Amino acid sequence: MTQTALPALIQQMMEPGFYPHPVKEPIELKQTHVSYVFLTGDYAYKVKKPVNFGFLDFSTLEARKHFCLEEIRMNQPIAPEIYLDVLPVTENGDRFELNGAGQPVEYALKMREFPQDDLFICLFEQGKLTEAHMEELGRIVAQFHAKAETSDYIRSFGEVSQVRQAIDENYEQTQKYVGGPQTSQQFEETQRATDAFFATRSALFESRIQDNQIRECHGDLHLRNICLWQGEIRLFDRIEFNEPFRFVDVMYDIGFAVMDLEARGRKDLGNAFLNTYVEQTGDWEGLRVLPLYLSRQAYVRAKVTSFLLDDPGVPDDVKQEAMLTAAQYYQLAWEYMHLPSVDAASSQQGRLILMSGLSGSGKTTVARHLARHIGAIHIRSDAVRKHLAGIPLEQTGGAQLYTAAMNEKTYDRLLELGIKLANEGFTVILDAKYDRQVFREKAIARGQHHQLPIQILHCIAPESVLRDRLTARTDDVSDATAELLTQQQATAEFFTDTEQSLVTTLDTTQDWTSQLTGWASVS
């Protein structure tokens, strides 16, 4: 981008002398469709562009001041080290001054600059974003949503008329890109699918409102808006300019992060984040609405990328890249609306996989690995049990958590979730001991009744290994200890002849991943 294509203020903000502190030269300018961001070394400054996209209106100075103040108000609680102040920009002759005397002509948001390599997008591009990062992110976002405000007013944004308004607006604002990055067929079919989703699932949207799942969320939770600050994960750059983008179903936020990873070819990382989040929150039912938000978020990325095609300040080579990127996101938005959970004509089918084995046999390790490999929803009985009891996952449960009645309640809830999600087209891994015939038989019968494929993965290991694993276990949802093994061995019931046809046995002290990869590819 040439200097002459930039407004006079932006050109001056590229000069070191504009700032009242030392800067790292050259000053780096990053540009989005709505803002300019200047990286000066210790500090970053954001100036909002005077644009009006309908869903966002920064066209007046007063609006830009208001939304700068809103941005700092909303982001300081989650990233206080980063968001510092809103400063006026004044004019003195032909020069602009930061925080100068006189009448402001612009406003700049001042932030603490952090190494760009600590952005999740940079970690991803460098191959340094790990499954552990995504699991921790799942916990962080679960905590953020638990504290997020809700009210009658906020919950009203979960009504079908409100949810679809923003989605319909996306279609209206992208009609001009049909024949460019968007195809006519994709445009029509994606819109038709979302219309059908709203028409047939009004009860689902109402249940989300009643369950208090409509909250003041982040609104723009993708890899560029997540970073490490001194080794700890921070969310930043919440949506400040549009209430319908922020007062949303929690799955709206989750969908943005999952979509971002899947669009970049790392469904395994998206799966790690998703499964950790729903385990922490217990919001497995929310997965039923997730495909709509996956599609919506992909469409938004397509839309805002398309906007770059209309910006005279964007060079041609960047526009060419934007055309290709937008096309990929439009395609992805179409694909999400044709998942089996949305499109009854899909050839894909949900299924149930039961884990089985004594405590310490490696069930959860195997289930987690398999979930990442095949994109399954992994539901642990230990988490279900604690959510039913209303106690934190990290808290050790008392004897009342393991009575016969509680065991039955836990397995019933586990199966209820499995059937519900498998009927939506998800592959669901039910991670429990399943050491009693009564629980296995009920799961098999229910699965067959719903015409769902069902399989059993039975994990084994020598007793000495089981005891060593349980003794070494720390910071886990499970309360199982080595002292319980003798009782478990005494009460475990062998598989019946009927069950044996569904069972694959894995010795988890051997190379079980090779066997599992082959099993998963043909199952």
Side-chain angles (χ1 to χ4, degrees):
M1 180 179 297
T2 62
Q3 287 284 96
T4 55
L6 296 171
L9 169 61
I10 305 307
Q11 292 184 47
Q12 288 187 27
M13 290 186 74
M14 295 290 291
E15 300 173 6
F18 180 83
Y19 301 93
H21 54 75
V23 302
K24 180 181 179 181
E25 298 187 52
I27 293 170
E28 185 177 356
L29 170 64
K30 291 186 176 293
Q31 192 174 173
T32 72
H33 62 294
V34 297
S35 63
Y36 302 100
V37 178
F38 303 86
L39 304 180
T40 70
D42 290 332
Y43 303 101
Y45 296 86
K46 179 190 288 189
V47 173
K48 298 183 185 299
K49 293 182 177 180
V51 293
N52 184 349
F53 291 124
F55 66 90
L56 169 154
D57 186 358
F58 294 162
S59 59
T60 68
L61 177 63
E62 189 59 31
R64 294 195 293 280
K65 175 185 179 182
H66 170 74
F67 286 116
C68 278
L69 293 172
E70 280 293 278
E71 184 169 353
I72 201 166
R73 177 186 69 83
M74 295 183 54
N75 285 281
Q76 273 189 336
I78 58 173
E81 310 93 337
I82 297 174
Y83 285 81
L84 303 177
D85 204 356
V86 174
L87 301 176
V89 177
T90 58
E91 195 169 10
N92 186 0
D94 62 352
R95 300 296 299 174
F96 295 96
E97 295 179 353
L98 185 64
N99 204 23
Q103 189 70 19
V105 297
E106 194 53 84
Y107 291 88
L109 181 66
K110 182 179 181 180
M111 298 175 287
R112 181 78 62 182
E113 186 176 329
F114 53 84
Q116 293 298 288
D117 283 351
D118 286 343
L119 281 169
F120 264 36
I121 184 61
C122 294
L123 293 173
F124 177 87
E125 291 172 347
Q126 296 167 11
K128 296 178 181 179
L129 193 64
T130 66
E131 189 174 307
H133 283 130
M134 300 316 301
E135 291 173 350
E136 179 63 14
L137 179 64
R139 289 185 281 270
I140 293 292
V141 176
Q143 294 166 9
F144 166 62
H145 282 162
K147 297 175 183 177
E149 182 182 352
T150 189
S151 65
D152 288 343
Y153 176 67
I154 292 173
R155 283 189 289 272
S156 72
F157 285 80
E159 296 172 2
V160 168
S161 59
Q162 288 277 18
V163 177
R164 75 170 302 157
Q165 182 176 345
I167 291 178
D168 289 345
E169 190 177 75
N170 287 337
Y171 296 130
E172 293 168 7
Q173 293 171 344
T174 55
Q175 283 183 339
K176 65 179 178 178
Y177 302 115
V178 173
Q182 171 71 300
T183 71
S184 176
Q185 180 178 349
Q186 277 182 180
F187 180 85
E188 293 172 1
E189 291 183 355
T190 308
Q191 186 173 27
R192 191 159 54 241
T194 54
D195 288 346
F197 195 99
F198 288 122
T200 60
R201 305 210 174 196
S202 58
L204 174 57
F205 287 98
E206 181 59 30
S207 71
R208 301 299 289 166
I209 294 172
Q210 296 303 317
D211 291 342
N212 284 326
Q213 300 296 353
I214 314 302
R215 294 179 174 269
E216 186 174 30
C217 294
H218 185 285
D220 202 20
L221 192 64
H222 52 79
L223 297 184
R224 295 185 187 278
N225 291 339
I226 308 166
C227 70
L228 292 179
W229 176 265
Q230 298 180 353
E232 295 185 359
I233 293 176
R234 290 288 184 271
L235 315 179
F236 69 99
D237 207 13
R238 290 174 74 186
I239 292 288
E240 83 286 356
F241 52 78
N242 188 305
E243 285 185 343
F245 289 5
R246 187 171 75 251
F247 297 162
V248 290
D249 193 304
V250 294
M251 283 295 158
Y252 179 109
D253 271 356
I254 302 310
F256 227 142
V258 172
M259 180 281 300
D260 200 19
L261 287 159
E262 293 191 345
R264 300 175 191 280
R266 289 301 303 269
K267 290 185 176 183
D268 57 324
L269 294 179
N271 183 271
F273 168 67
L274 177 62
N275 272 311
T276 303
Y277 175 85
V278 292
E279 178 172 287
Q280 290 289 313
T281 62
D283 187 23
W284 289 284
E285 275 99 345
L287 296 169
R288 295 178 296 162
V289 78
L290 180 63
L292 176 72
Y293 293 118
L294 289 168
S295 178
R296 188 267 179 201
Q297 310 305 32
Y299 207 97
V300 166
R301 297 314 303 166
K303 178 179 74 172
V304 299
T305 305
S306 297
F307 288 161
L308 293 174
L309 304 177
D310 304 326
D311 191 331
V314 174
D316 289 342
D317 60 333
V318 175
K319 287 186 177 182
Q320 287 183 328
E321 184 179 351
M323 175 79 79
L324 295 174
T325 300
Q328 293 169 351
Y329 279 116
Y330 284 126
Q331 168 73 16
L332 186 60
W334 178 91
E335 290 175 0
Y336 281 134
M337 290 314 296
H338 291 80
L339 290 172
S341 54
V342 180
D343 185 359
S346 173
S347 61
Q348 300 181 50
Q349 183 184 26
R351 58 176 168 143
L352 290 176
I353 300 171
L354 307 186
M355 301 304 300
S356 178
L358 302 176
S359 296
S361 61
K363 299 186 301 299
T364 295
T365 299
V366 171
R368 185 179 292 118
H369 174 91
L370 182 60
R372 307 293 184 262
H373 184 72
I374 63 175
I377 302 303
H378 174 203
I379 310 179
R380 301 173 66 184
S381 62
D382 299 297
V384 169
R385 186 184 301 270
K386 290 184 177 179
H387 281 298
L388 286 172
I391 68 172
L393 298 190
E394 65 274 10
Q395 180 177 318
T396 301
Q400 73 279 6
L401 210 61
Y402 297 94
T403 63
M406 191 61 178
N407 284 342
E408 184 173 359
K409 188 177 181 180
T410 298
Y411 275 90
D412 284 349
R413 174 63 172 158
L414 187 68
L415 181 57
E416 175 193 5
L417 289 169
I419 294 293
K420 187 178 292 185
L421 294 177
N423 275 332
E424 295 274 353
F426 292 99
T427 293
V428 186
I429 302 173
L430 302 183
D431 182 0
K433 292 199 304 296
Y434 277 105
D435 54 346
R436 305 292 180 88
Q437 288 180 16
V438 63
F439 297 135
R440 297 194 298 263
E441 288 172 355
K442 186 180 292 187
I444 292 169
R446 289 282 304 280
Q448 291 174 342
H449 173 76
H450 289 274
Q451 298 182 321
L452 295 168
I454 187 166
Q455 295 153 297
I456 301 173
L457 273 177
H458 180 51
C459 296
I460 62 172
E463 181 178 349
S464 60
V465 174
L466 301 180
R467 292 187 179 279
D468 288 345
R469 288 174 177 172
L470 290 172
T471 300
R473 181 181 287 173
T474 58
D475 298 324
D476 191 79
V477 174
S478 174
D479 296 330
T481 63
E483 289 72 25
L484 295 175
L485 276 178
T486 301
Q487 179 184 348
Q488 290 183 10
Q489 290 169 325
T491 58
E493 298 172 348
F494 293 110
F495 295 110
T496 65
D497 291 341
T498 302
E499 292 170 334
Q500 283 288 359
S501 64
L502 306 176
V503 176
T504 297
T505 299
L506 296 177
D507 182 342
T508 58
T509 63
Q510 305 301 314
D511 181 16
W512 55 267
T513 55
S514 297
Q515 183 181 349
L516 189 62
T517 300
W519 175 87
S521 66
V522 298
S523 297

